[in-house]
Structure formats: structure tokens, C-alpha cells
Amino acid sequence: GALGWLGLTLGLWRRQAALAAARDDEEEKELRQRFMAPPVSGLRELRRRRRELRSRMELLIMETQAEVCRALAALDPGASFAVDSWERKEGGGGISCVLQDGEVFEKAGVNVSVVSGLLSEEAARQMRSRGKSLKAKDGKLPFCAMGVSSVIHPKNPHVPTMHFNYRYFEIEEADGTKQWWFGGGTDLTPTYLNEEDAVHFHKTLKEACDKHDLKLYPKYKKWCDDYFYIKHRGERRGIGGIFFDDMDSPSKEEVFQFVKSCAKAVVPCYIPIVKKHCHDSFTPEEKLWQQLRRGRYVEFNLVYDRGTKFGLLTPGSRIESILMSLPLTARWEYMHNPPESSKEAEILEVLRNPKDWVH
């Protein structure tokens, strides 16, 4: 009887193990279909630590990457994303998805990176300059950073360039305490001003913020206008959106849910604008103005952008992925000034004096 009971128990255990393995395989297959590539931390590891915020954030950035890539590919069926997984010898890696020379998009990149290791002296200095008190142990600061970042440069001058980035950072100090914060934002850079598009873009972002706190949108809209400022030109890079950094309250869970709402707003705030204008006719003069505005975009990214600077200062960072934000083509003309009362002068006015689009 005891042997029979043992055999029955073993049989049940084997059946349960087989069912669990089949369930795991099914879940793995589903996750693979959901993403553009297998996650940096590996599906098993993410599943094992599924309740930890780091794992949930990695899943969110992977999902955001896939959602955005699929939405863009649907608008540009002749083009496809090159998917490039890379590893960083100091720890972690990333997935770069880049579409080039499509009918609709000249260049669209959506990157995910999940990196860890020791913070470089320059990077630590940059953080301390923002008021972070970081206590290193023997000069070492272990860190973990992850994020999704995208820049989309369309061919048609009537379709705006769009950028978004959502990230999470964790640092372990000498006494073992962990400092963490989130950052990110979504912003629009049109070549020509279309008020209806500007209102749609800002309203969609405002709705995402308002779900959490009515004070967030006005605060982060202003931060965005102030951050994307090309000081040497006296103008903003675009018509803004939202931008925030060092966000570590009210709680980890609440900030994560806010970041999730912002990430989910990317497709609805931008894709309808692309659909609306991607077949608009344009003149060679309008294309030229787009190239000149792209030059400004490059100036901001290389001279002021903190993310670009941080990437260039991080040992083992992947230069191709950091400079993915740059357009395929741009132009710098000596002393170019558009005629007064022209459509070109109209956008400049808004870049010099930001507007409130939603009230």
C-alpha cells in the first residue's frame, strides 16, 4: 500500500511539474511575441523577480518599445526595424530597434537599455551637481539604470519629430542604503506649427498626468520648456510636452504607475498626427527649412542634453545607440533668417515664447 501511495504521489508530482513547465514555455513564447527581442535580464530572471520594481520596469520599457515600433511599422509598411541586441562587458546591455530610409520615416529609433556596474567619477559628479548626496565606498558606487528612449525623424516636413524617454535609476551607497529615482518625458518638435496638433499632443499628455495629480502637468510642462532650451540660440528645441527627473515621491509604486501612464500615452499622442500629415504635399523650400530645424535638434542634443552627456561619460556605453537620436540629414546655413510673417517665422515665435496649449 505504501509503495502504491508513493507511486501515485510521484505520478501526481511529475504531472504537476510537466504542467508547470508547459505553462512556463507558453508564457515564454507569449513574452517573446510581445517584445522585439528577448529581455536583457532574461525571461526566467524577470519571472523569478516579477514582484520587484526593477523587473516590472524592465517589462514596461520592453512593452513600450514593442508598442511604439509596431505602431510606426504599421504606418511605413515598406520599411522594417533592424533589431540589434548588444551586451556591455561591465554589466547589462540593450536592444536597439532602428528603421532607416522608409517612405514615412527617415529615421526612427527606439532603444532599451538595462545596465549596471560602478558609476564613473564624471557621472557621479554630474549627479552630485544636481544635489544628490552620494556616499561612495572606497570611491565605488554600484548602480543600476534602465530606460526606453526614442527619437523619430519623419521625411515629410509637416510631420513633427518626436522624442520620448522613461528611465529608472538605483544607486547603492556605502552603508547599503539605496537611492532610487525615475525620470523621463515626451516632447514634440514640429518644423511648421499646426495648433490643432499641438493641442492634441499636450492634451493627451495632460490626461495621463491628471490621472495621478492635477499639479503634475503644469509643473512638468514648464520643466520641459526650460530643459529643451538652446541657450546660444535663445529658442526651445520644440513646442515641448512634459519632462521630469529625480522623481522619488510620494512612493516607488505611485511614481512607477505615473511613469507607466506617461509611457502608455506615447502612441496616442503622436501616431494620429503622423497619420494626418504623412501624405501632405510639400515644397523644396519646406524641406530645406526642415533640414535647418534638424540642425538645431543636433545642436541641443550634442551641447546640452544630459542623457547624451551621461551616456558618453559611462564606461562601456554604446555610442551607436546614444547617437541614434541624430537625424540622417541636417543642414547649417550661415546667417539664415526667415522672412517676417512667414510660416517659418511663426514657429520661431512659439519656440522663443512657449505657449499654454491646453487652457
Side-chain angles (χ1 to χ4, degrees), residues 134-146:
L134 303 173
K135 296 181 278 295
K137 186 178 187 177
D138 308 323
K140 292 184 172 68
L141 277 166
F143 82 98
C144 151
M146 61 181 72

Side-chain angles (χ1 to χ4, degrees), residues 104-214:
V104 175
F105 303 108
E106 185 180 288
K107 188 178 181 190
V110 192
N111 282 351
V112 152
S113 65
V114 180
V115 298
S116 56
L118 297 172
L119 212 56
S120 73
E121 257 316 302
E122 296 99 315
R125 206 173 298 126
Q126 195 189 325
M127 285 178 182
R128 287 192 180 104
S129 73
R130 303 204 320 260
K132 296 267 169 220
S133 60
L134 303 173
K135 296 181 278 295
K137 186 178 187 177
D138 308 323
K140 292 184 172 68
L141 277 166
F143 82 98
C144 151
M146 61 181 72
V148 57
S149 177
S150 172
V151 178
I152 298 151
H153 292 292
K155 279 201 162 155
N156 194 310
H158 299 292
V159 182
T161 283
M162 196 265 286
H163 157 258
F164 75 88
N165 168 269
Y166 290 99
R167 57 195 179 273
Y168 172 69
F169 218 96
E170 205 174 82
I171 285 183
E172 194 175 322
E173 294 191 89
D175 59 2
T177 56
K178 282 184 180 166
Q179 277 206 47
W180 59 269
W181 63 89
F182 289 86
T186 304
D187 62 281
L188 197 69
T189 305
T191 302
Y192 287 96
L193 184 63
N194 180 304
E195 298 233 351
E196 206 177 82
D197 296 345
V199 170
H200 164 79
F201 184 80
H202 277 269
K203 262 198 168 147
T204 311
L205 294 177
K206 182 181 185 295
E207 280 161 19
C209 293
D210 285 355
K211 280 185 212 162
H212 300 270
D213 186 338
L214 297 178

